[in-house]
Amino acid sequence: MKKWRKTLVFVIVVYVTLLLGPIAGFDLPRILVDIVRSPEVLFQQLLVGVVNGAIIAIIALGYTLVYGILGLINFAHGDLYMLGAFAALTVVSLFGVESDAPLEVSFLPMFVAVVVSAMFCAFLNVVTERFAYRPLRNSPRLAPLISAIGVSFIFQNVGLFWGGLRAFIPAMGVNFAAPKSFPDLLPRIDILKSLGMQTPIVFTTKDLIVLVIAVVLMVGLQLFVQYSRLGKAMRATAQNLEAAKMVGINVDRIVALTFLIGGGLAGVAGLLVGLYNNTIVFTMGFTAGIQAFTAVVLGGIGNMTGAMFGGVLIGVLSALSDQYLSSRWTNAWVFAVLVIVLVFKPSGLLGESLQEKV
């Protein structure tokens, strides 16, 4: 895009922001005054945004892995994450543990839940690839895209039945669509106060556990793709699928491995969001899927580092919008930022620069 066009778009965006901003809660002087008066609120929201953004980043990695290999936008990935949350809740329920159970009692159920949810989502993702996507691999791109949307609806209805079944069996007539409570099993100790710091900012062991798990998963995946033999095969397949076949790489196996890893990450993310927010619902996959896909595009689609950065950025933007603007307009502001970024850098913040046409 020519420079004058970018300047024109920027002027239009600024004008619309100034015109409609107050209606949507964007009152810059008021926001600055609130930040100066209560900087601890800003830091608290940044912390909340980073934690939620880390979960979004884990989901986004599954999107960007599949797109990098096949160029497929797997719209069913968000609903797969939702099924992982229900699988984890089912395992925890079978153990019969309740909220605030001692760590020595809740550790085994949480460990089994993370293994089961990861394996379940990984297996389901591989089966989906084998029977829903692989037969359409050489078809026009619209065919697997529509197939992914269809799989998303199937997963969502499975989640509707699964979540409703748990409430329907003990008490007939319970609303199937009602959110389900997830036991609060993670310890909630205020780390800053335990260290003797007198601050209104709350940073609990629950936040720390979620962040540590997210960082380990993201860094581990990055190292696996960069340095392992299978990771190099994945990168070769992503670069040129036909050339990868010619040098002896089993492309079908690599694609299946990609879906396996992406599904496992979705399952772990489902468990984490259940443990962190303590509530799940069958519609949460759609919302998380949109956020994760936005993170992928914002950071640079096909770029794992970009997906991680985009996820954290969306988490922070959402938290700040909820605090200083209005939760009703959060999605609008997040997508407004996405549009502005794509206008000036169509490949995303960390994506490879595309040659512009004059």
Side-chain angles (χ1 to χ4, degrees):
M1 185 184 291
K2 292 182 179 179
K3 290 184 177 180
W4 69 268
R5 292 179 181 175
K6 291 183 177 180
T7 304
L8 178 61
V9 170
F10 179 76
V11 171
I12 293 174
V13 169
V14 171
Y15 176 76
V16 172
T17 300
L18 292 175
L19 184 65
L20 301 179
I23 300 176
F26 188 80
D27 186 354
L28 186 58
R30 176 188 61 80
I31 294 173
L32 293 176
V33 170
D34 290 343
I35 292 175
V36 172
R37 287 179 177 176
S38 305
E40 66 278 0
V41 175
L42 172 64
F43 289 116
Q44 184 68 65
Q45 292 304 316
L46 289 175
L47 176 60
V48 171
V50 169
V51 175
N52 288 318
I55 298 176
I56 296 173
I58 296 175
I59 306 171
L61 286 174
Y63 266 112
T64 201
L65 280 174
V66 171
Y67 184 87
I69 296 289
L70 295 179
L72 168 67
I73 300 174
N74 184 15
F75 280 115
H77 191 72
D79 296 292
L80 181 71
Y81 140 85
M82 175 268 298
L83 292 180
F86 276 108
L89 177 59
T90 301
V91 172
V92 172
S93 299
L94 290 175
F95 275 91
V97 290
E98 301 293 339
S99 297
D100 299 323
L103 184 59
E104 58 272 16
V105 174
S106 61
F107 177 79
L108 180 60
M110 286 191 293
F111 177 78
V112 176
V114 70
V115 172
V116 170
S117 59
M119 292 180 62
F120 170 75
C121 289
F123 172 76
L124 188 58
N125 216 24
V126 171
V127 171
T128 301
E129 185 277 328
R130 176 63 183 86
F131 294 103
Y133 301 148
R134 189 179 300 182
L136 303 174
R137 190 175 296 170
N138 297 320
S139 303
R141 286 194 174 187
L142 187 60
L145 180 63
I146 294 175
S147 179
I149 296 174
V151 172
S152 174
F153 280 114
I154 293 173
F155 284 176
Q156 190 172 112
N157 280 271
V158 170
L160 172 62
F161 175 76
W162 194 343
L165 181 67
R166 185 172 173 271
F168 185 72
I169 292 178
M172 305 295 284
V174 176
N175 184 6
F176 274 37
K180 305 299 179 291
S181 297
F182 203 107
D184 190 4
L185 303 179
L186 293 180
R188 193 190 297 267
I189 303 172
D190 192 329
I191 297 176
L192 299 181
K193 286 186 178 179
S194 63
L195 294 175
M197 300 175 62
Q198 299 300 321
T199 173
I201 300 175
V202 179
F203 181 60
T204 67
T205 49
K206 191 174 184 178
D207 300 315
L208 180 62
I209 291 172
V210 172
L211 279 178
V212 168
I213 293 176
V215 170
V216 168
L217 287 175
M218 290 186 286
V219 173
L221 179 62
Q222 185 78 19
L223 294 176
F224 172 80
V225 172
Q226 289 294 326
Y227 299 108
S228 71
R229 185 175 180 179
L230 289 174
K232 292 176 182 178
M234 290 172 63
R235 287 190 285 127
T237 305
Q239 188 172 7
N240 193 314
L241 191 143
E242 295 299 326
K245 288 181 180 178
M246 294 173 62
V247 298
I249 295 176
N250 189 329
V251 170
D252 289 339
R253 184 178 298 174
I254 294 301
V255 171
L257 174 65
T258 302
F259 275 83
L260 183 79
I261 295 174
L265 290 172
V268 175
L271 171 66
L272 285 179
V273 80
L275 291 173
Y276 189 71
N277 294 329
N278 302 123
T279 182
I280 58 176
V281 66
F282 82 99
T283 56
M284 66 187 242
F286 175 79
T287 304
I290 293 296
Q291 290 177 329
F293 179 66
T294 306
V296 169
V297 176
L298 184 62
I301 194 163
N303 186 317
M304 289 197 302
T305 304
M308 292 184 278
F309 177 74
V312 174
L313 181 59
I314 286 180
V316 171
L317 289 174
S318 299
L320 293 179
S321 177
D322 289 344
Q323 176 64 39
Y324 295 108
L325 304 177
S326 172
S327 59
R328 295 178 299 173
W329 291 90
T330 293
N331 289 333
W333 287 116
V334 170
F335 278 94
V337 172
L338 174 66
V339 170
I340 294 173
V341 170
L342 293 183
V343 165
F344 294 94
K345 202 170 189 304
S347 58
L349 292 173
L350 301 182
E352 295 181 358
S353 298
L354 303 176
Q355 186 175 0
E356 297 180 347
K357 294 182 180 180
V358 180

Short mmCIF file of all heavy atoms in Angstrom, two decimals, residues 281-321:
data_model
loop_
_atom_site.label_atom_id
_atom_site.label_comp_id
_atom_site.label_asym_id
_atom_site.label_seq_id
_atom_site.Cartn_x
_atom_site.Cartn_y
_atom_site.Cartn_z
N VAL A 281 -18.17 -23.80 29.84
CA VAL A 281 -19.45 -23.88 29.15
C VAL A 281 -19.18 -24.28 27.71
O VAL A 281 -18.08 -24.02 27.18
CB VAL A 281 -20.21 -22.53 29.23
CG1 VAL A 281 -19.46 -21.46 28.46
CG2 VAL A 281 -21.63 -22.67 28.75
N PHE A 282 -20.15 -24.90 27.07
CA PHE A 282 -19.89 -25.47 25.74
C PHE A 282 -19.64 -24.40 24.68
O PHE A 282 -19.06 -24.69 23.63
CB PHE A 282 -21.06 -26.38 25.33
CG PHE A 282 -22.24 -25.66 24.75
CD1 PHE A 282 -22.43 -25.59 23.38
CD2 PHE A 282 -23.16 -25.03 25.58
CE1 PHE A 282 -23.51 -24.92 22.84
CE2 PHE A 282 -24.25 -24.37 25.05
CZ PHE A 282 -24.43 -24.31 23.67
N THR A 283 -20.03 -23.16 24.91
CA THR A 283 -19.80 -22.09 23.94
C THR A 283 -18.43 -21.44 24.07
O THR A 283 -18.08 -20.59 23.26
CB THR A 283 -20.88 -21.01 24.09
OG1 THR A 283 -20.88 -20.53 25.45
CG2 THR A 283 -22.26 -21.55 23.76
N MET A 284 -17.66 -21.83 25.08
CA MET A 284 -16.38 -21.16 25.31
C MET A 284 -15.38 -21.45 24.20
O MET A 284 -14.45 -20.67 23.99
CB MET A 284 -15.79 -21.59 26.66
CG MET A 284 -15.40 -23.06 26.73
SD MET A 284 -14.92 -23.55 28.39
CE MET A 284 -13.22 -24.04 28.12
N GLY A 285 -15.56 -22.54 23.47
CA GLY A 285 -14.64 -22.87 22.39
C GLY A 285 -14.70 -21.87 21.26
O GLY A 285 -13.66 -21.52 20.67
N PHE A 286 -15.89 -21.39 20.95
CA PHE A 286 -16.03 -20.40 19.87
C PHE A 286 -15.30 -19.11 20.22
O PHE A 286 -14.54 -18.58 19.42
CB PHE A 286 -17.51 -20.12 19.61
CG PHE A 286 -17.75 -19.04 18.61
CD1 PHE A 286 -17.62 -19.30 17.25
CD2 PHE A 286 -18.09 -17.75 19.02
CE1 PHE A 286 -17.84 -18.28 16.32
CE2 PHE A 286 -18.30 -16.74 18.10
CZ PHE A 286 -18.18 -17.01 16.74
N THR A 287 -15.53 -18.61 21.44
CA THR A 287 -14.89 -17.37 21.86
C THR A 287 -13.38 -17.51 21.89
O THR A 287 -12.65 -16.66 21.38
CB THR A 287 -15.40 -16.96 23.26
OG1 THR A 287 -16.83 -16.85 23.23
CG2 THR A 287 -14.79 -15.64 23.69
N ALA A 288 -12.90 -18.60 22.50
CA ALA A 288 -11.45 -18.82 22.58
C ALA A 288 -10.85 -19.02 21.20
O ALA A 288 -9.72 -18.57 20.93
CB ALA A 288 -11.16 -20.02 23.47
N GLY A 289 -11.59 -19.69 20.33
CA GLY A 289 -11.08 -19.91 18.97
C GLY A 289 -10.91 -18.60 18.21
O GLY A 289 -9.91 -18.41 17.51
N ILE A 290 -11.89 -17.70 18.35
CA ILE A 290 -11.78 -16.40 17.69
C ILE A 290 -10.60 -15.62 18.25
O ILE A 290 -9.83 -14.99 17.51
CB ILE A 290 -13.08 -15.60 17.86
CG1 ILE A 290 -14.23 -16.27 17.09
CG2 ILE A 290 -12.90 -14.16 17.40
CD1 ILE A 290 -14.03 -16.30 15.60
N GLN A 291 -10.44 -15.64 19.58
CA GLN A 291 -9.32 -14.93 20.19
C GLN A 291 -7.98 -15.50 19.74
O GLN A 291 -7.04 -14.76 19.43
CB GLN A 291 -9.43 -14.99 21.71
CG GLN A 291 -10.58 -14.16 22.29
CD GLN A 291 -10.67 -14.32 23.80
OE1 GLN A 291 -10.35 -15.36 24.35
NE2 GLN A 291 -11.14 -13.27 24.47
N ALA A 292 -7.89 -16.83 19.71
CA ALA A 292 -6.63 -17.48 19.32
C ALA A 292 -6.32 -17.21 17.85
O ALA A 292 -5.16 -16.94 17.49
CB ALA A 292 -6.72 -18.98 19.58
N PHE A 293 -7.33 -17.27 17.01
CA PHE A 293 -7.10 -16.99 15.59
C PHE A 293 -6.67 -15.54 15.38
O PHE A 293 -5.78 -15.25 14.58
CB PHE A 293 -8.36 -17.30 14.78
CG PHE A 293 -8.23 -17.01 13.32
CD1 PHE A 293 -7.36 -17.76 12.53
CD2 PHE A 293 -8.95 -15.99 12.73
CE1 PHE A 293 -7.22 -17.49 11.18
CE2 PHE A 293 -8.83 -15.72 11.38
CZ PHE A 293 -7.95 -16.47 10.60
N THR A 294 -7.30 -14.63 16.14
CA THR A 294 -6.90 -13.22 16.07
C THR A 294 -5.46 -13.05 16.52
O THR A 294 -4.70 -12.27 15.93
CB THR A 294 -7.83 -12.37 16.95
OG1 THR A 294 -9.19 -12.60 16.58
CG2 THR A 294 -7.52 -10.90 16.81
N ALA A 295 -5.06 -13.79 17.55
CA ALA A 295 -3.68 -13.73 18.03
C ALA A 295 -2.71 -14.20 16.96
O ALA A 295 -1.63 -13.62 16.77
CB ALA A 295 -3.53 -14.59 19.29
N VAL A 296 -3.09 -15.25 16.24
CA VAL A 296 -2.24 -15.78 15.17
C VAL A 296 -2.06 -14.74 14.07
O VAL A 296 -0.94 -14.49 13.59
CB VAL A 296 -2.84 -17.08 14.61
CG1 VAL A 296 -2.13 -17.50 13.33
CG2 VAL A 296 -2.76 -18.20 15.64
N VAL A 297 -3.16 -14.13 13.64
CA VAL A 297 -3.09 -13.13 12.57
C VAL A 297 -2.34 -11.89 13.05
O VAL A 297 -1.53 -11.31 12.31
CB VAL A 297 -4.51 -12.76 12.11
CG1 VAL A 297 -4.47 -11.65 11.07
CG2 VAL A 297 -5.22 -13.98 11.55
N LEU A 298 -2.59 -11.48 14.28
CA LEU A 298 -1.93 -10.29 14.82
C LEU A 298 -0.42 -10.48 14.93
O LEU A 298 0.36 -9.60 14.59
CB LEU A 298 -2.52 -9.95 16.20
CG LEU A 298 -2.04 -8.67 16.89
CD1 LEU A 298 -2.39 -7.46 16.05
CD2 LEU A 298 -2.66 -8.55 18.27
N GLY A 299 -0.01 -11.65 15.41
CA GLY A 299 1.41 -11.90 15.58
C GLY A 299 2.13 -12.28 14.29
O GLY A 299 3.34 -12.08 14.18
N GLY A 300 1.40 -12.82 13.34
CA GLY A 300 2.01 -13.27 12.09
C GLY A 300 1.67 -14.73 11.86
O GLY A 300 2.27 -15.60 12.49
N ILE A 301 0.70 -15.00 11.00
CA ILE A 301 0.20 -16.35 10.83
C ILE A 301 1.30 -17.27 10.31
O ILE A 301 2.06 -16.93 9.42
CB ILE A 301 -1.03 -16.36 9.90
CG1 ILE A 301 -1.77 -17.68 9.98
CG2 ILE A 301 -0.65 -16.02 8.47
CD1 ILE A 301 -3.18 -17.63 9.44
N GLY A 302 1.41 -18.45 10.94
CA GLY A 302 2.47 -19.39 10.60
C GLY A 302 3.73 -19.20 11.42
O GLY A 302 4.66 -20.00 11.34
N ASN A 303 3.78 -18.15 12.25
CA ASN A 303 4.94 -17.84 13.07
C ASN A 303 4.62 -18.17 14.53
O ASN A 303 3.73 -17.57 15.13
CB ASN A 303 5.29 -16.34 12.92
CG ASN A 303 6.57 -15.96 13.63
OD1 ASN A 303 6.82 -16.39 14.75
ND2 ASN A 303 7.39 -15.16 12.98
N MET A 304 5.31 -19.17 15.11
CA MET A 304 5.00 -19.59 16.48
C MET A 304 5.28 -18.49 17.49
O MET A 304 4.48 -18.27 18.42
CB MET A 304 5.78 -20.85 16.83
CG MET A 304 5.31 -22.10 16.11
SD MET A 304 5.91 -23.60 16.91
CE MET A 304 7.68 -23.32 16.84
N THR A 305 6.40 -17.80 17.33
CA THR A 305 6.71 -16.70 18.24
C THR A 305 5.66 -15.61 18.13
O THR A 305 5.23 -15.02 19.14
CB THR A 305 8.10 -16.13 17.94
OG1 THR A 305 9.07 -17.17 18.00
CG2 THR A 305 8.46 -15.04 18.94
N GLY A 306 5.21 -15.35 16.91
CA GLY A 306 4.16 -14.36 16.70
C GLY A 306 2.85 -14.76 17.35
O GLY A 306 2.14 -13.93 17.91
N ALA A 307 2.52 -16.06 17.30
CA ALA A 307 1.29 -16.55 17.92
C ALA A 307 1.35 -16.36 19.43
O ALA A 307 0.37 -15.94 20.06
CB ALA A 307 1.08 -18.02 17.58
N MET A 308 2.51 -16.65 20.04
CA MET A 308 2.66 -16.47 21.48
C MET A 308 2.55 -14.98 21.85
O MET A 308 1.84 -14.62 22.79
CB MET A 308 4.00 -17.04 21.94
CG MET A 308 4.10 -18.55 21.85
SD MET A 308 5.66 -19.22 22.49
CE MET A 308 6.75 -18.97 21.08
N PHE A 309 3.24 -14.14 21.10
CA PHE A 309 3.20 -12.70 21.37
C PHE A 309 1.80 -12.15 21.17
O PHE A 309 1.29 -11.35 21.97
CB PHE A 309 4.19 -11.97 20.46
CG PHE A 309 4.17 -10.48 20.62
CD1 PHE A 309 4.73 -9.86 21.72
CD2 PHE A 309 3.58 -9.68 19.64
CE1 PHE A 309 4.69 -8.49 21.87
CE2 PHE A 309 3.55 -8.31 19.78
CZ PHE A 309 4.11 -7.71 20.89
N GLY A 310 1.13 -12.59 20.09
CA GLY A 310 -0.22 -12.12 19.81
C GLY A 310 -1.20 -12.54 20.89
O GLY A 310 -2.09 -11.76 21.27
N GLY A 311 -1.06 -13.76 21.42
CA GLY A 311 -1.93 -14.22 22.48
C GLY A 311 -1.80 -13.37 23.74
O GLY A 311 -2.82 -12.96 24.34
N VAL A 312 -0.58 -13.11 24.14
CA VAL A 312 -0.35 -12.29 25.34
C VAL A 312 -0.86 -10.86 25.11
O VAL A 312 -1.47 -10.25 26.00
CB VAL A 312 1.14 -12.29 25.71
CG1 VAL A 312 1.41 -11.32 26.86
CG2 VAL A 312 1.59 -13.69 26.10
N LEU A 313 -0.63 -10.33 23.91
CA LEU A 313 -1.07 -8.97 23.61
C LEU A 313 -2.59 -8.86 23.67
O LEU A 313 -3.13 -7.89 24.24
CB LEU A 313 -0.57 -8.55 22.23
CG LEU A 313 -0.93 -7.14 21.77
CD1 LEU A 313 -0.39 -6.10 22.76
CD2 LEU A 313 -0.40 -6.87 20.37
N ILE A 314 -3.29 -9.85 23.14
CA ILE A 314 -4.76 -9.81 23.18
C ILE A 314 -5.25 -9.94 24.61
O ILE A 314 -6.23 -9.28 25.02
CB ILE A 314 -5.34 -10.93 22.29
CG1 ILE A 314 -5.16 -10.54 20.82
CG2 ILE A 314 -6.81 -11.18 22.60
CD1 ILE A 314 -5.69 -11.56 19.85
N GLY A 315 -4.60 -10.79 25.40
CA GLY A 315 -4.98 -10.90 26.81
C GLY A 315 -4.83 -9.59 27.54
O GLY A 315 -5.72 -9.19 28.32
N VAL A 316 -3.75 -8.88 27.30
CA VAL A 316 -3.51 -7.59 27.96
C VAL A 316 -4.51 -6.54 27.47
O VAL A 316 -5.08 -5.78 28.27
CB VAL A 316 -2.06 -7.12 27.69
CG1 VAL A 316 -1.87 -5.67 28.17
CG2 VAL A 316 -1.07 -8.03 28.40
N LEU A 317 -4.72 -6.48 26.15
CA LEU A 317 -5.69 -5.51 25.61
C LEU A 317 -7.08 -5.75 26.16
O LEU A 317 -7.80 -4.80 26.51
CB LEU A 317 -5.71 -5.59 24.08
CG LEU A 317 -4.48 -5.06 23.33
CD1 LEU A 317 -4.61 -5.34 21.84
CD2 LEU A 317 -4.32 -3.56 23.57
N SER A 318 -7.48 -7.01 26.28
CA SER A 318 -8.81 -7.33 26.80
C SER A 318 -8.94 -6.92 28.26
O SER A 318 -9.96 -6.36 28.68
CB SER A 318 -9.09 -8.83 26.64
OG SER A 318 -9.07 -9.22 25.28
N ALA A 319 -7.90 -7.19 29.05
CA ALA A 319 -7.94 -6.84 30.47
C ALA A 319 -8.01 -5.32 30.66
O ALA A 319 -8.78 -4.81 31.49
CB ALA A 319 -6.73 -7.40 31.19
N LEU A 320 -7.22 -4.57 29.88
CA LEU A 320 -7.23 -3.11 30.00
C LEU A 320 -8.57 -2.54 29.54
O LEU A 320 -9.08 -1.57 30.12
CB LEU A 320 -6.09 -2.52 29.18
CG LEU A 320 -4.68 -2.84 29.67
CD1 LEU A 320 -3.64 -2.22 28.75
CD2 LEU A 320 -4.47 -2.36 31.10
N SER A 321 -9.14 -3.14 28.49
CA SER A 321 -10.44 -2.67 28.02
C SER A 321 -11.52 -2.92 29.06
O SER A 321 -12.38 -2.07 29.31
CB SER A 321 -10.81 -3.35 26.70
OG SER A 321 -12.09 -2.97 26.26
#
